[in-house]
Amino acid sequence: MQRCGDIVSRQALYDGWTLRAAPGAQVPEEIAGRSVPATVPGCVHTDLLDAGLIEDPYLDDNERALAWIGRTDWVYQTTFDHRAGDDERVDLVCAGLDTVATLTLNGVEVGRTANMHRGYRFDVRPLLRDGNNDLVVTFESAYRYAEAQQERLGDRPNAYPEPFHFIRKMACNFGWDWGPTLVTAGIWQEIGLHAWSTARLATVRPLVTMNGRDGRVELHVEVERVADVPLTVRAIVAGARADVVVPAGQRTAVLTLTVRDPELWWPRGYGDQVRHPIEVTLHAPDGVTLDSWSHRIGFRSLRLDTTPDEHGTPFSLSVNDVPVFVRGVNWIPDDAFPTRITRDRLAERFDQAIAANVNLLRVWGGGRYESVDFYDLADERGLLVQQDFLFACAAYPEEEPFASEVAAEAAEQVTRLAPYPSLVLWTGNNENIWGWHDWDWQQALAGRTWGRGYYLDLLPRIVGELDPTRPYWPGSPWSGSEAIHPNDPAHGTTHIWDVWNTDDYTKYREYVPRFVAEFGYQAPPAYATLRRALSDEPLAPDSPGMAHHQKAAGGDAKLQRGLDAHLPAPADFDDWHYLTQLNQARAIQLGVEHFRSHRDVCAGTIVWQLNDCWPVTSWSAVDGDGRRKPLWYALRHAYADRLLTVQPRDGGLALVAVNDGGTPWRASASVTRVTVTGEPRAKTTVHLDVPAYSSVTLALPADLARPDEGCRELLVAEAGGTAERALWFFAEDREMDWPAAAWDATVEPVDGGRRVRVTARTVLRDLTLFPDRLDASATVDTALVTLLPGESTTFTVQADGLLEPAALTARPVLRCVNDIA
Ligand code: BMA
């Protein structure tokens, strides 16, 4: 065991673990009686995969054959060496166990757990022996536990036929409308021995606020002690220090530190992300350091304005007194097996979000309380984070043991995440209050508990007590009052799902909500992702693998409905793949541009969803292999600081210039009505003068806004500087009189890839290059480019392999809408 003075010494227990099915379990022959090496932290599925005992659950329909894993009890076992020291306590510390575990040390039970979202600590000093020690963690099947609770407490309605609401475990593990059903078990976070004497820091909770220009840190400390002596807690941050004595017999202390005029932490796009180290130490009466804790904090103020106004109830976030229009994306676990998500992978995903001009991630309530790496990266990169408490799409029981588990879990997580400046909002649940209102739950519940007490009483009390610096909102969606429908767009946050489920995406224009916390549209993943995951030959929209990797109810029919409304009929799978991806991008671009054009009323949009957890047809912008779908490029455009967009207004059309940057936007903009063969029919030039963080709406003259021949004309609006062009069409693509596409293309080698230059001989509608069809490693810098005759564009392709020029400039790699007959 490592020693450093008298400070708590920590011994990680990551080595020597093995895994086996519990005796008597009903498992396949090759598993029964076998013991395999286990990775800790890790989970059963990934261990069995590493041992070559199961097929990759993400490929084809392998998932189906692996359901037995979640129904099995599993035994993790290791032997570790230990030498007794003088420590008064030696604790077995488990940061996360998934989920229903019994722990024994040297044959003696040390504890039982049933909550994946909590950490546990057991005093094991009396059980340790010099030399070899045997640690066994047995996981009971999560299904068996959940089904027993369901039986005992009475069923409760939920969105999927799985008992995920009867166990405190990542809900989407039981399958979702974008996720596989792979019910895990395992030691999913750090595990080790902590040896200490006298006392240790049990929790440290810095609450950071601004008082004018001064930063204020109210530091709440809890100690655990074995000796009744006075202790000293010392804290230091940005040159400020404080000391406090915790008298014998007491467990808590509060220190207040004031930092004069600190450099502030800002969300990205608004300023720098300055962080200040904070060091906390605990001292014995003789001055010896017993324990220490360090972190980085950020000074920033935070306000959520929900004071009713003439439009309803706003939902407007301000950081450092600057209102931030939220350009958000919803975040789901990036892998169905969370222990595979490395810091590098999170960093890559965050950088993809940032490059798409995103400024907020909402951590959705069917996943997890996100990791240290997640929050540290968000702090570092200036991404704001909204964290849901972990309740999603179900009525949750409030009886024991759940009430106590939820209270303990919430207190632990609110404390753990208090130091991170990126965390700006806690939400009570995902869609559960809405579900109770609208999804026929009330009759089915017959008066049983459903979670109301969590969202409207317990959780706000815990946040209010432990972290009053952060706003709490009872649900997503939520209107601010039980007297108002929870999904009323005029009040608080709203989810818009009639678009996608039943209505065309142009319906987004019927909403001028205060804040859209979810809206989304599906598309398949990238071609290379499909090819890696599916062995269907040929691939078809309904081939077996495609069908298995589409989890949404009626998903394919909804995709088809969207295509029928807008686009020409696909002739083959390649057309279908391109057009469904294009339609997803169009739907969300239309929604975001519309909502942003109403930024006086609407204070934010959170697109459903940034990422995926496996290869699947879903609402994501980045697929399960990390490849960007066309939606990602559309999002980058629609979420740019400066957005030029043509919007219907008052029976005509308007040019709206939205400026979410910190400097005024002054430019001259031209708007031309032009035919599909490139002849201008009408033109106007306007002057844009858009202050920072605002928008300007300019009505367009009637001669521009009204076409002579709707199916042969479009509007092209352009402003100098950073804004790309805005287009407006008077008819759907399927009605447009598009000329057959023709272009000239050149390909030249560049460092690490190829540059493809395309010159349009005809109009080219949403020209997109899919280099992953030639080389799975290939990426491209731009997509969805519409060119008028004579115009050119350049695609820069990065790839490991050599890409054949002829293939790179022809279907199905380079294509546009009007290459479809
Ligand atoms: C909402 C989300 C998710 C779901 C998505 C797509 O209900 O909160 O639960 O995956 O819509 O259906």
Side-chain angles (χ1 to χ4, degrees), residues 30-60:
E30 63 278 17
I31 307 285
R34 281 277 280 271
S35 183
V36 300
T39 301
V40 170
C43 77
V44 170
H45 287 79
T46 47
D47 288 335
L48 296 179
L49 192 60
D50 289 346
L53 290 171
I54 57 169
E55 299 290 339
D56 185 335
Y58 288 5
L59 305 184
D60 292 319

PDB file of all heavy atoms in Angstrom, residues 30-60:
ATOM      1  N   GLU A  30     -20.971 -23.231 -23.140  1.00  0.00           N
ATOM      2  CA  GLU A  30     -19.586 -22.764 -23.134  1.00  0.00           C
ATOM      3  C   GLU A  30     -19.301 -21.812 -21.972  1.00  0.00           C
ATOM      4  O   GLU A  30     -18.150 -21.470 -21.692  1.00  0.00           O
ATOM      5  CB  GLU A  30     -19.192 -22.138 -24.485  1.00  0.00           C
ATOM      6  CG  GLU A  30     -19.953 -20.892 -24.901  1.00  0.00           C
ATOM      7  CD  GLU A  30     -21.321 -21.175 -25.545  1.00  0.00           C
ATOM      8  OE1 GLU A  30     -21.840 -22.302 -25.398  1.00  0.00           O
ATOM      9  OE2 GLU A  30     -21.868 -20.247 -26.172  1.00  0.00           O
ATOM     10  N   ILE A  31     -20.341 -21.352 -21.301  1.00  0.00           N
ATOM     11  CA  ILE A  31     -20.157 -20.413 -20.183  1.00  0.00           C
ATOM     12  C   ILE A  31     -20.172 -21.161 -18.848  1.00  0.00           C
ATOM     13  O   ILE A  31     -19.442 -20.807 -17.916  1.00  0.00           O
ATOM     14  CB  ILE A  31     -21.295 -19.354 -20.175  1.00  0.00           C
ATOM     15  CG1 ILE A  31     -21.432 -18.664 -21.543  1.00  0.00           C
ATOM     16  CG2 ILE A  31     -21.116 -18.353 -19.039  1.00  0.00           C
ATOM     17  CD1 ILE A  31     -20.369 -17.661 -21.879  1.00  0.00           C
ATOM     18  N   ALA A  32     -21.014 -22.200 -18.770  1.00  0.00           N
ATOM     19  CA  ALA A  32     -21.225 -22.889 -17.492  1.00  0.00           C
ATOM     20  C   ALA A  32     -19.893 -23.392 -16.937  1.00  0.00           C
ATOM     21  O   ALA A  32     -19.090 -24.003 -17.650  1.00  0.00           O
ATOM     22  CB  ALA A  32     -22.195 -24.052 -17.685  1.00  0.00           C
ATOM     23  N   GLY A  33     -19.643 -23.076 -15.695  1.00  0.00           N
ATOM     24  CA  GLY A  33     -18.453 -23.562 -15.032  1.00  0.00           C
ATOM     25  C   GLY A  33     -17.160 -22.877 -15.460  1.00  0.00           C
ATOM     26  O   GLY A  33     -16.097 -23.182 -14.942  1.00  0.00           O
ATOM     27  N   ARG A  34     -17.251 -21.928 -16.405  1.00  0.00           N
ATOM     28  CA  ARG A  34     -16.038 -21.244 -16.894  1.00  0.00           C
ATOM     29  C   ARG A  34     -15.763 -19.991 -16.076  1.00  0.00           C
ATOM     30  O   ARG A  34     -16.665 -19.262 -15.711  1.00  0.00           O
ATOM     31  CB  ARG A  34     -16.245 -20.735 -18.338  1.00  0.00           C
ATOM     32  CG  ARG A  34     -16.131 -21.714 -19.435  1.00  0.00           C
ATOM     33  CD  ARG A  34     -14.718 -21.977 -19.869  1.00  0.00           C
ATOM     34  NE  ARG A  34     -14.039 -21.058 -20.747  1.00  0.00           N
ATOM     35  CZ  ARG A  34     -14.058 -21.117 -22.068  1.00  0.00           C
ATOM     36  NH1 ARG A  34     -14.872 -21.943 -22.699  1.00  0.00           N
ATOM     37  NH2 ARG A  34     -13.280 -20.331 -22.776  1.00  0.00           N
ATOM     38  N   SER A  35     -14.511 -19.745 -15.861  1.00  0.00           N
ATOM     39  CA  SER A  35     -14.110 -18.512 -15.214  1.00  0.00           C
ATOM     40  C   SER A  35     -13.255 -17.755 -16.227  1.00  0.00           C
ATOM     41  O   SER A  35     -12.364 -18.333 -16.832  1.00  0.00           O
ATOM     42  CB  SER A  35     -13.313 -18.894 -13.969  1.00  0.00           C
ATOM     43  OG  SER A  35     -12.948 -17.770 -13.267  1.00  0.00           O
ATOM     44  N   VAL A  36     -13.545 -16.466 -16.445  1.00  0.00           N
ATOM     45  CA  VAL A  36     -12.769 -15.704 -17.438  1.00  0.00           C
ATOM     46  C   VAL A  36     -12.151 -14.494 -16.764  1.00  0.00           C
ATOM     47  O   VAL A  36     -12.665 -14.008 -15.754  1.00  0.00           O
ATOM     48  CB  VAL A  36     -13.648 -15.253 -18.633  1.00  0.00           C
ATOM     49  CG1 VAL A  36     -14.253 -16.447 -19.334  1.00  0.00           C
ATOM     50  CG2 VAL A  36     -14.721 -14.274 -18.204  1.00  0.00           C
ATOM     51  N   PRO A  37     -11.055 -13.977 -17.316  1.00  0.00           N
ATOM     52  CA  PRO A  37     -10.474 -12.761 -16.744  1.00  0.00           C
ATOM     53  C   PRO A  37     -11.487 -11.614 -16.837  1.00  0.00           C
ATOM     54  O   PRO A  37     -12.186 -11.498 -17.837  1.00  0.00           O
ATOM     55  CB  PRO A  37      -9.270 -12.474 -17.652  1.00  0.00           C
ATOM     56  CG  PRO A  37      -9.032 -13.722 -18.430  1.00  0.00           C
ATOM     57  CD  PRO A  37     -10.329 -14.459 -18.494  1.00  0.00           C
ATOM     58  N   ALA A  38     -11.549 -10.806 -15.803  1.00  0.00           N
ATOM     59  CA  ALA A  38     -12.506  -9.691 -15.786  1.00  0.00           C
ATOM     60  C   ALA A  38     -11.749  -8.371 -15.703  1.00  0.00           C
ATOM     61  O   ALA A  38     -10.781  -8.251 -14.959  1.00  0.00           O
ATOM     62  CB  ALA A  38     -13.444  -9.834 -14.596  1.00  0.00           C
ATOM     63  N   THR A  39     -12.229  -7.394 -16.481  1.00  0.00           N
ATOM     64  CA  THR A  39     -11.646  -6.057 -16.430  1.00  0.00           C
ATOM     65  C   THR A  39     -12.439  -5.230 -15.428  1.00  0.00           C
ATOM     66  O   THR A  39     -13.662  -5.216 -15.472  1.00  0.00           O
ATOM     67  CB  THR A  39     -11.715  -5.399 -17.825  1.00  0.00           C
ATOM     68  OG1 THR A  39     -10.994  -6.231 -18.723  1.00  0.00           O
ATOM     69  CG2 THR A  39     -11.103  -4.011 -17.817  1.00  0.00           C
ATOM     70  N   VAL A  40     -11.729  -4.584 -14.546  1.00  0.00           N
ATOM     71  CA  VAL A  40     -12.353  -3.717 -13.540  1.00  0.00           C
ATOM     72  C   VAL A  40     -11.670  -2.358 -13.613  1.00  0.00           C
ATOM     73  O   VAL A  40     -10.435  -2.302 -13.534  1.00  0.00           O
ATOM     74  CB  VAL A  40     -12.200  -4.338 -12.129  1.00  0.00           C
ATOM     75  CG1 VAL A  40     -12.621  -3.351 -11.054  1.00  0.00           C
ATOM     76  CG2 VAL A  40     -13.047  -5.619 -12.030  1.00  0.00           C
ATOM     77  N   PRO A  41     -12.435  -1.258 -13.784  1.00  0.00           N
ATOM     78  CA  PRO A  41     -13.873  -1.204 -14.021  1.00  0.00           C
ATOM     79  C   PRO A  41     -14.248  -1.797 -15.378  1.00  0.00           C
ATOM     80  O   PRO A  41     -13.468  -1.702 -16.333  1.00  0.00           O
ATOM     81  CB  PRO A  41     -14.181   0.299 -14.005  1.00  0.00           C
ATOM     82  CG  PRO A  41     -13.017   0.952 -13.333  1.00  0.00           C
ATOM     83  CD  PRO A  41     -11.843   0.092 -13.635  1.00  0.00           C
ATOM     84  N   GLY A  42     -15.432  -2.404 -15.429  1.00  0.00           N
ATOM     85  CA  GLY A  42     -15.883  -3.028 -16.661  1.00  0.00           C
ATOM     86  C   GLY A  42     -17.260  -3.625 -16.472  1.00  0.00           C
ATOM     87  O   GLY A  42     -17.947  -3.305 -15.505  1.00  0.00           O
ATOM     88  N   CYS A  43     -17.630  -4.527 -17.382  1.00  0.00           N
ATOM     89  CA  CYS A  43     -18.918  -5.211 -17.214  1.00  0.00           C
ATOM     90  C   CYS A  43     -18.871  -6.595 -17.849  1.00  0.00           C
ATOM     91  O   CYS A  43     -17.949  -6.921 -18.608  1.00  0.00           O
ATOM     92  CB  CYS A  43     -20.068  -4.379 -17.761  1.00  0.00           C
ATOM     93  SG  CYS A  43     -20.242  -4.379 -19.538  1.00  0.00           S
ATOM     94  N   VAL A  44     -19.867  -7.393 -17.522  1.00  0.00           N
ATOM     95  CA  VAL A  44     -19.900  -8.788 -17.939  1.00  0.00           C
ATOM     96  C   VAL A  44     -19.828  -8.918 -19.464  1.00  0.00           C
ATOM     97  O   VAL A  44     -19.057  -9.727 -19.999  1.00  0.00           O
ATOM     98  CB  VAL A  44     -21.192  -9.460 -17.410  1.00  0.00           C
ATOM     99  CG1 VAL A  44     -21.382 -10.829 -18.023  1.00  0.00           C
ATOM    100  CG2 VAL A  44     -21.146  -9.559 -15.886  1.00  0.00           C
ATOM    101  N   HIS A  45     -20.642  -8.112 -20.168  1.00  0.00           N
ATOM    102  CA  HIS A  45     -20.684  -8.250 -21.630  1.00  0.00           C
ATOM    103  C   HIS A  45     -19.301  -8.066 -22.251  1.00  0.00           C
ATOM    104  O   HIS A  45     -18.895  -8.831 -23.119  1.00  0.00           O
ATOM    105  CB  HIS A  45     -21.633  -7.220 -22.247  1.00  0.00           C
ATOM    106  CG  HIS A  45     -23.081  -7.503 -22.015  1.00  0.00           C
ATOM    107  ND1 HIS A  45     -23.706  -7.213 -20.822  1.00  0.00           N
ATOM    108  CD2 HIS A  45     -24.026  -8.048 -22.820  1.00  0.00           C
ATOM    109  CE1 HIS A  45     -24.980  -7.553 -20.910  1.00  0.00           C
ATOM    110  NE2 HIS A  45     -25.208  -8.068 -22.101  1.00  0.00           N
ATOM    111  N   THR A  46     -18.600  -7.022 -21.816  1.00  0.00           N
ATOM    112  CA  THR A  46     -17.304  -6.751 -22.433  1.00  0.00           C
ATOM    113  C   THR A  46     -16.268  -7.802 -22.032  1.00  0.00           C
ATOM    114  O   THR A  46     -15.386  -8.138 -22.813  1.00  0.00           O
ATOM    115  CB  THR A  46     -16.831  -5.319 -22.106  1.00  0.00           C
ATOM    116  OG1 THR A  46     -16.998  -5.074 -20.712  1.00  0.00           O
ATOM    117  CG2 THR A  46     -17.640  -4.288 -22.873  1.00  0.00           C
ATOM    118  N   ASP A  47     -16.402  -8.369 -20.838  1.00  0.00           N
ATOM    119  CA  ASP A  47     -15.493  -9.452 -20.444  1.00  0.00           C
ATOM    120  C   ASP A  47     -15.736 -10.710 -21.278  1.00  0.00           C
ATOM    121  O   ASP A  47     -14.786 -11.363 -21.729  1.00  0.00           O
ATOM    122  CB  ASP A  47     -15.666  -9.794 -18.960  1.00  0.00           C
ATOM    123  CG  ASP A  47     -15.093  -8.722 -18.053  1.00  0.00           C
ATOM    124  OD1 ASP A  47     -14.193  -7.993 -18.493  1.00  0.00           O
ATOM    125  OD2 ASP A  47     -15.562  -8.609 -16.906  1.00  0.00           O
ATOM    126  N   LEU A  48     -16.999 -11.028 -21.474  1.00  0.00           N
ATOM    127  CA  LEU A  48     -17.308 -12.227 -22.273  1.00  0.00           C
ATOM    128  C   LEU A  48     -16.877 -12.021 -23.724  1.00  0.00           C
ATOM    129  O   LEU A  48     -16.400 -12.944 -24.391  1.00  0.00           O
ATOM    130  CB  LEU A  48     -18.803 -12.548 -22.206  1.00  0.00           C
ATOM    131  CG  LEU A  48     -19.348 -12.921 -20.815  1.00  0.00           C
ATOM    132  CD1 LEU A  48     -20.848 -13.186 -20.886  1.00  0.00           C
ATOM    133  CD2 LEU A  48     -18.620 -14.142 -20.239  1.00  0.00           C
ATOM    134  N   LEU A  49     -17.024 -10.800 -24.193  1.00  0.00           N
ATOM    135  CA  LEU A  49     -16.594 -10.472 -25.558  1.00  0.00           C
ATOM    136  C   LEU A  49     -15.073 -10.622 -25.674  1.00  0.00           C
ATOM    137  O   LEU A  49     -14.567 -11.255 -26.608  1.00  0.00           O
ATOM    138  CB  LEU A  49     -17.029  -9.032 -25.856  1.00  0.00           C
ATOM    139  CG  LEU A  49     -16.955  -8.529 -27.281  1.00  0.00           C
ATOM    140  CD1 LEU A  49     -17.831  -9.377 -28.197  1.00  0.00           C
ATOM    141  CD2 LEU A  49     -17.422  -7.060 -27.327  1.00  0.00           C
ATOM    142  N   ASP A  50     -14.353 -10.078 -24.692  1.00  0.00           N
ATOM    143  CA  ASP A  50     -12.889 -10.174 -24.707  1.00  0.00           C
ATOM    144  C   ASP A  50     -12.440 -11.633 -24.641  1.00  0.00           C
ATOM    145  O   ASP A  50     -11.406 -11.996 -25.199  1.00  0.00           O
ATOM    146  CB  ASP A  50     -12.278  -9.414 -23.525  1.00  0.00           C
ATOM    147  CG  ASP A  50     -12.407  -7.912 -23.704  1.00  0.00           C
ATOM    148  OD1 ASP A  50     -12.711  -7.473 -24.829  1.00  0.00           O
ATOM    149  OD2 ASP A  50     -12.234  -7.179 -22.706  1.00  0.00           O
ATOM    150  N   ALA A  51     -13.216 -12.446 -23.934  1.00  0.00           N
ATOM    151  CA  ALA A  51     -12.839 -13.856 -23.798  1.00  0.00           C
ATOM    152  C   ALA A  51     -13.256 -14.668 -25.026  1.00  0.00           C
ATOM    153  O   ALA A  51     -13.024 -15.888 -25.075  1.00  0.00           O
ATOM    154  CB  ALA A  51     -13.491 -14.440 -22.543  1.00  0.00           C
ATOM    155  N   GLY A  52     -13.893 -14.011 -25.989  1.00  0.00           N
ATOM    156  CA  GLY A  52     -14.309 -14.703 -27.205  1.00  0.00           C
ATOM    157  C   GLY A  52     -15.492 -15.630 -26.985  1.00  0.00           C
ATOM    158  O   GLY A  52     -15.739 -16.527 -27.790  1.00  0.00           O
ATOM    159  N   LEU A  53     -16.239 -15.407 -25.919  1.00  0.00           N
ATOM    160  CA  LEU A  53     -17.347 -16.318 -25.598  1.00  0.00           C
ATOM    161  C   LEU A  53     -18.690 -15.850 -26.135  1.00  0.00           C
ATOM    162  O   LEU A  53     -19.654 -16.607 -26.140  1.00  0.00           O
ATOM    163  CB  LEU A  53     -17.431 -16.515 -24.081  1.00  0.00           C
ATOM    164  CG  LEU A  53     -16.269 -17.323 -23.494  1.00  0.00           C
ATOM    165  CD1 LEU A  53     -16.318 -17.288 -21.970  1.00  0.00           C
ATOM    166  CD2 LEU A  53     -16.319 -18.762 -23.988  1.00  0.00           C
ATOM    167  N   ILE A  54     -18.771 -14.585 -26.547  1.00  0.00           N
ATOM    168  CA  ILE A  54     -20.014 -14.120 -27.184  1.00  0.00           C
ATOM    169  C   ILE A  54     -19.659 -13.346 -28.451  1.00  0.00           C
ATOM    170  O   ILE A  54     -18.533 -12.864 -28.612  1.00  0.00           O
ATOM    171  CB  ILE A  54     -20.861 -13.209 -26.258  1.00  0.00           C
ATOM    172  CG1 ILE A  54     -20.059 -11.983 -25.790  1.00  0.00           C
ATOM    173  CG2 ILE A  54     -21.405 -13.995 -25.071  1.00  0.00           C
ATOM    174  CD1 ILE A  54     -20.902 -10.915 -25.090  1.00  0.00           C
ATOM    175  N   GLU A  55     -20.648 -13.244 -29.331  1.00  0.00           N
ATOM    176  CA  GLU A  55     -20.487 -12.427 -30.533  1.00  0.00           C
ATOM    177  C   GLU A  55     -20.636 -10.958 -30.135  1.00  0.00           C
ATOM    178  O   GLU A  55     -21.243 -10.639 -29.107  1.00  0.00           O
ATOM    179  CB  GLU A  55     -21.583 -12.770 -31.551  1.00  0.00           C
ATOM    180  CG  GLU A  55     -21.579 -14.209 -32.019  1.00  0.00           C
ATOM    181  CD  GLU A  55     -20.387 -14.525 -32.908  1.00  0.00           C
ATOM    182  OE1 GLU A  55     -19.800 -13.576 -33.476  1.00  0.00           O
ATOM    183  OE2 GLU A  55     -20.026 -15.707 -33.014  1.00  0.00           O
ATOM    184  N   ASP A  56     -20.140 -10.071 -30.977  1.00  0.00           N
ATOM    185  CA  ASP A  56     -20.279  -8.639 -30.716  1.00  0.00           C
ATOM    186  C   ASP A  56     -21.770  -8.265 -30.745  1.00  0.00           C
ATOM    187  O   ASP A  56     -22.422  -8.378 -31.784  1.00  0.00           O
ATOM    188  CB  ASP A  56     -19.511  -7.853 -31.781  1.00  0.00           C
ATOM    189  CG  ASP A  56     -19.508  -6.361 -31.486  1.00  0.00           C
ATOM    190  OD1 ASP A  56     -20.430  -5.894 -30.790  1.00  0.00           O
ATOM    191  OD2 ASP A  56     -18.590  -5.670 -31.961  1.00  0.00           O
ATOM    192  N   PRO A  57     -22.292  -7.814 -29.611  1.00  0.00           N
ATOM    193  CA  PRO A  57     -23.744  -7.537 -29.555  1.00  0.00           C
ATOM    194  C   PRO A  57     -24.187  -6.405 -30.474  1.00  0.00           C
ATOM    195  O   PRO A  57     -25.391  -6.253 -30.697  1.00  0.00           O
ATOM    196  CB  PRO A  57     -23.987  -7.161 -28.090  1.00  0.00           C
ATOM    197  CG  PRO A  57     -22.659  -6.988 -27.467  1.00  0.00           C
ATOM    198  CD  PRO A  57     -21.619  -7.606 -28.337  1.00  0.00           C
ATOM    199  N   TYR A  58     -23.247  -5.627 -30.999  1.00  0.00           N
ATOM    200  CA  TYR A  58     -23.628  -4.494 -31.855  1.00  0.00           C
ATOM    201  C   TYR A  58     -23.777  -4.901 -33.323  1.00  0.00           C
ATOM    202  O   TYR A  58     -24.183  -4.097 -34.149  1.00  0.00           O
ATOM    203  CB  TYR A  58     -22.590  -3.372 -31.768  1.00  0.00           C
ATOM    204  CG  TYR A  58     -22.591  -2.619 -30.450  1.00  0.00           C
ATOM    205  CD1 TYR A  58     -23.407  -3.003 -29.393  1.00  0.00           C
ATOM    206  CD2 TYR A  58     -21.779  -1.506 -30.283  1.00  0.00           C
ATOM    207  CE1 TYR A  58     -23.405  -2.305 -28.196  1.00  0.00           C
ATOM    208  CE2 TYR A  58     -21.770  -0.799 -29.088  1.00  0.00           C
ATOM    209  CZ  TYR A  58     -22.586  -1.206 -28.048  1.00  0.00           C
ATOM    210  OH  TYR A  58     -22.573  -0.502 -26.868  1.00  0.00           O
ATOM    211  N   LEU A  59     -23.398  -6.133 -33.645  1.00  0.00           N
ATOM    212  CA  LEU A  59     -23.430  -6.541 -35.050  1.00  0.00           C
ATOM    213  C   LEU A  59     -24.697  -7.340 -35.349  1.00  0.00           C
ATOM    214  O   LEU A  59     -25.155  -8.137 -34.526  1.00  0.00           O
ATOM    215  CB  LEU A  59     -22.199  -7.382 -35.385  1.00  0.00           C
ATOM    216  CG  LEU A  59     -20.845  -6.724 -35.060  1.00  0.00           C
ATOM    217  CD1 LEU A  59     -19.697  -7.610 -35.534  1.00  0.00           C
ATOM    218  CD2 LEU A  59     -20.725  -5.335 -35.675  1.00  0.00           C
ATOM    219  N   ASP A  60     -25.233  -7.112 -36.542  1.00  0.00           N
ATOM    220  CA  ASP A  60     -26.434  -7.818 -37.010  1.00  0.00           C
ATOM    221  C   ASP A  60     -27.476  -7.893 -35.887  1.00  0.00           C
ATOM    222  O   ASP A  60     -27.712  -6.908 -35.204  1.00  0.00           O
ATOM    223  CB  ASP A  60     -26.045  -9.196 -37.560  1.00  0.00           C
ATOM    224  CG  ASP A  60     -25.222  -9.045 -38.849  1.00  0.00           C
ATOM    225  OD1 ASP A  60     -25.583  -8.181 -39.665  1.00  0.00           O
ATOM    226  OD2 ASP A  60     -24.213  -9.749 -39.006  1.00  0.00           O
TER     227      ASP A  60
END
